Amino acid sequence: FGWSNLGNTQVALGSLDEADVSYTTSVDLCREKNKETEQFGARRCDDLYLLLLNRGSLRLNNGDPKGALKDLNEADTLRARPDPLILQNRARARELNGLYSAADKDYSVAISMTSNEVA
């Protein structure tokens, strides 16, 4: 969606509050599209997990660790398989929300998935 591209640009320019609005618009449109799919068989928006990852990452870095954790949990559920980028961000969100044991588990899985990527 164009709104997520706008959000990416706003993040790059440091306009984080505006980027949150853009990502939220994109998330809302994707959810609406998926409801249409259920009702009318239209093409599904398969990027919802990625939109939530982007918004969750933004919220994590913009002082909203609770909102970040909510988005990142949903992104993880929708992805339906371990994703190191989701896990790394969710680990940080869990840490900031005082969920240290859960954060440690996410960090461990993310590290194990990316350990051979270190140069």
Side-chain angles (χ1 to χ4, degrees):
F1 286 117
W3 287 102
S4 66
N5 290 335
L6 177 59
N8 293 340
T9 301
Q10 290 166 323
V11 167
L13 295 172
S15 302
L16 301 184
D17 291 333
E18 291 86 354
D20 191 284
V21 172
S22 295
Y23 285 141
T24 297
T25 300
S26 187
V27 166
D28 292 344
L29 288 170
C30 190
R31 289 185 201 279
E32 188 176 309
K33 176 82 171 171
N34 287 344
K35 285 181 185 174
E36 289 175 10
T37 300
E38 292 170 11
Q39 293 175 356
F40 306 113
R43 185 171 180 272
R44 184 169 177 74
C45 173
D46 294 322
D47 294 334
L48 184 55
Y49 88 91
L50 187 56
L51 300 173
L52 289 163
L53 170 60
N54 286 347
R55 187 175 70 177
S57 299
L58 166 73
R59 288 178 171 178
L60 185 59
N61 292 296
N62 200 28
D64 184 11
K66 287 187 190 321
L69 184 56
K70 182 176 184 254
D71 282 351
L72 295 165
N73 278 333
E74 187 175 355
D76 182 63
T77 299
L78 290 169
R79 186 69 170 140
R81 65 176 187 229
D83 182 297
L85 195 54
I86 293 172
L87 291 169
Q88 290 167 6
N89 282 282
R90 188 175 70 175
R92 181 70 178 133
R94 284 178 163 175
E95 185 180 343
L96 291 173
N97 281 288
L99 304 170
Y100 302 112
S101 179
D104 183 56
K105 288 177 186 174
D106 279 352
Y107 280 130
S108 294
V109 173
I111 289 168
S112 73
M113 294 177 74
T114 59
S115 62
N116 58 349
E117 293 179 15
V118 178

